[in-house]
Amino acid sequence: MFKILLAEFLAPGIKRFEIEAPRIARKQKPGQFVILRLYEQGERIPVTIEHSDPERGTIRIVVQSIGKTTNLLNSLNAGDSILDVVGPLGKPSHIENFGTVVVMGGGVGTAMAYPTAVAFKQAGNRVISIVGARNKELVILEKELRAVSDSLMLTTDDGSYADKGFVTDKLRQLIENGVRIDLVLAIGPIPMMRAVAEMTRKERIHTVVSLNPIMIDGTGMCGGCRVLIDGKSEFACVDGPEFDAHKVDFAVLVQRNSMYRAAEQKSMEAFQRDTASQIEAVRAENKGACSAQGDRR
Amino acid sequence: MSEPTKQTTKQPPLNPLSLKERMKLPRQHMLEQPPLVRATNFTEVNLGYSEQLARQEALRCLECAKPVCVVDCPVGVKVKEFVQLIVAGDYLAAAAKIREDNVLPAITGRVCPQEDHCEGGCLMGKKVQPLGIGYLERFVADYEQRHLDTGNLPKATPTGKKVAIVGSGPSGLTAAGDLIQKGHQVHVFEALHEIGGVLVYGIPEFRLPKQIIRQQVDYMRAMGVVFETDVVVGRTVTIDELMEGEGYDAVFIGTGAGLPQFMGIPGEHLNGVYSANEFLTRINLMHAYEFPKYDEPMVDFRGKNVAVIGGGNTALDAIRSALRLGAGKAFILYRRSEAEMPARIEEVKHAQQEGIEFQVLAAPIEFLDDGKGWLAGARCQKMALGEPDASGRRRPIPIEGSEYEIPLAVAVIAIGTSANPIVQSTTPGLETNKRNYINADPLTQRTSRKGVFAGGDIVTGSATVILAMGAGRRAAKSIHEFLTTPGPW
């Protein structure tokens, strides 16, 4: 059982939680993630680690409400618990002094990119961050990212904040202005990562993306998260989640992520019909389980 | 005739039957759900022996002076002695007798390939059907679960030594059970949210109910074993951190061979193509068969064709699960013939009764796309059998020009697993072989790292529950020696 110490919305539908998870906090490195299961009947989903504090024994995760599980999770608050949190999973980001690194975050992907941006900066890189969101309200971690970036650019799809456009517009500007870019890290919605990959492929700029396929165990055991990299199957949970963007088959990723759409919609509709009681059920169940299990930490 | 045996609890009446009479008694069938009923539910197929049936079966035992069944058991269960205790009607003593060698009797009684071990060695089997040792084991284990008070288990004198067990599958649980009885502190780390490893994610409810595993694990808790879930050793904590930071004196690695193999044929990334591990994990561990009560979904293939590629127990577990989830036609595609199938005889029989079709001497060479990224079918190739290969089974040889297509909604690949690399890649100095399995001494289970032992599938590659338990048992003995008798590594 993992206790939620703090919970706050960073934007509408995007919530940040601080969770007591001392083992994970001690080991987490940028680029890694956790898998959580909310309650006994719950599914296992991969979730972004935005920050960890080894001394306090806590991690911070950022979650966007999309389906039933994320909506349920984002209904929880400080004092509530999550049944299972396991990690840190995946290979850490490869950090070294590359020179100039462009860190691109799209939507909630910004939270995943942030710890790696911090590490890039600490390794001596010049960090240029580009953050994009649909609108002003959905821009997250601007202040945090600005603090570790040599420069930061912002776009919103509708122009309600900063420049109207996409993160790729800013990347194109950098390229056209002749800025020497040694590495691009792009984390966000699949269309965004694909667009970045296409742009940098032509320019031969090494580009890394963090993939988000459907996962179950997160240890390489099930193979459900397999992605096509350079025509070969790799497992995002153990071989990734970061891959060379120019080798990723994004079409297969989109296709595989749609595999359970019908069931996901069914779950979501049932949840929406009866939201309050389901949230209460999760709270009550986890409270009961908390006192029942002696040996689970 | 039966030789006198030592009894600690009470004197059993001698088996009143002559050897001839025993040979004449038919093997007692275990009651099971009718095939067409069970093919639609996930409730256990086998229903167990009644006391009367168990006694009838136990009376068949010839009580050999040198019982081959015991020798052939990877953990050395004292078959003759526990069967005699059943004849005597002392089922708890029979269970305790099994537990001296096997801490998971309710599990092995259900999933062991007895024909390859105890029952395969049974002398009766030369003339008539062998003694139903698995059924009897299951009977006493279930009886024990209903009747034994675990609040009062004897505790060994503490040695002050701490052992970490990595992985809570059959080898880890066995090692844990043996080590706690020696007085060591035992802490089991499990990556998933449930204890049991392959027993919970791999073996379906209709063959091994979760409740049975929980009871066996609860028994171990009562003995003092501590379990910690949600810990991926190698990621959450490393072996070195366990030994240096957390003070463990020895570590046993029993992480299993959990990395699914794919076939490397076109179309494997299509929606609807699964590894057996994923298919079974969704159904077993995540309860996808109870969707929407449970949140984990499964592709809806009701009324449609499902094929499982492979011929082992995992393949049969997968295809029988598919049938229960409503597959219109459920079949096995196996590249050799039925004689080479590694699955348990009982599972093959059960599957056939349920209506599973076996297409043998055939293998897919391509998965076909419906144009929208979903599986539409498979192009298969027929096989002929050639000379035996390294496994001793006859090698399948593709027949040119024999290709044919079959429509499929779901294909499950159950052709085996390889070594999961997480522990190896995070434990410096831990030697592995070419295929990345951990090198361990076959007798002592010692690895190249002092104080670190390994056993089960992560050493041998995919095998059976009981062989992993045998390794756990040898490791426990060897760990105990290491902790109590100093000597060179």
Side-chain angles (χ1 to χ4, degrees), chain A residues 22 46 69 108 156 159 174 216 219 230 246 258 260:
Chain A
T69 303
V108 74
T156 50
L174 288 176
I216 305 180
T219 65
D230 217 6
H246 300 150
S258 73
Y260 300 99

Side-chain angles (χ1 to χ4, degrees), chain B residues 2-123:
Chain B
S2 58
E3 55 177 10
T5 51
K6 279 181 270 175
Q7 286 309 325
T8 47
T9 43
K10 60 182 177 185
Q11 197 65 36
L14 291 175
N15 188 332
L17 304 180
S18 72
L19 290 183
K20 240 183 204 161
E21 286 170 325
R22 297 182 201 186
M23 291 294 284
K24 276 191 195 143
L25 278 180
R27 177 168 159 132
Q28 301 300 308
H29 290 294
M30 177 164 284
L31 293 174
E32 56 192 37
Q33 284 194 71
L36 293 181
V37 173
R38 69 184 191 234
T40 61
N41 67 46
F42 273 83
T43 313
E44 197 176 5
V45 169
N46 284 331
L47 301 172
Y49 271 162
S50 62
E51 278 186 47
Q52 195 204 345
L53 282 176
R55 187 182 149 77
Q56 276 295 104
E57 184 61 27
L59 283 172
R60 295 176 69 223
C61 180
L62 299 177
E63 301 174 303
C64 305
K66 286 182 183 156
V68 186
C69 49
V70 181
V71 181
D72 283 359
C73 173
V75 295
V77 167
K78 299 177 196 82
V79 176
K80 183 170 81 174
E81 295 175 42
F82 96 75
V83 173
Q84 284 173 338
L85 286 162
I86 296 176
V87 173
D90 193 345
Y91 309 128
L92 285 181
K97 185 56 73 183
I98 298 175
R99 279 193 177 279
E100 289 175 10
D101 305 290
N102 173 1
V103 292
L104 307 168
I107 292 168
T108 48
R110 286 170 164 84
V111 304
C112 240
Q114 285 92 6
E115 64 265 26
D116 296 336
H117 301 292
C118 55
E119 294 182 22
C122 176
L123 211 59

Side-chain angles (χ1 to χ4, degrees), chain B residues 255-267:
Chain B
T255 46
L259 198 75
Q261 281 178 10
F262 287 90
M263 305 178 73
I265 63 174

Side-chain angles (χ1 to χ4, degrees), chain A residues 39 84 222 226 260 295, chain B residues 193 221 230 268 274-275 295:
Chain A
Y39 64 121
D84 297 285
C222 87
R226 62 190 190 276
Y260 300 99
D295 51 22
Chain B
H193 56 257
R221 275 198 185 96
D230 297 330
E268 264 178 335
Y274 287 95
S275 75
D295 291 334

Side-chain angles (χ1 to χ4, degrees), chain A residues 5 16 31 33 40 86 96-97 100-102 115 132-133 150-151 155 164 167 183 194 239 244 246 251 265 273:
Chain A
L5 303 175
R16 174 160 69 185
F33 61 95
E40 194 56 45
V86 62
E96 61 171 75
N97 190 348
T100 298
V101 176
V102 176
D150 293 272
S151 65
T155 62
K164 180 175 161 58
V167 285
L183 176 75
R194 175 155 47 187
D239 302 320
D244 181 339
H246 300 150
Q265 270 166 10
R273 275 197 298 276

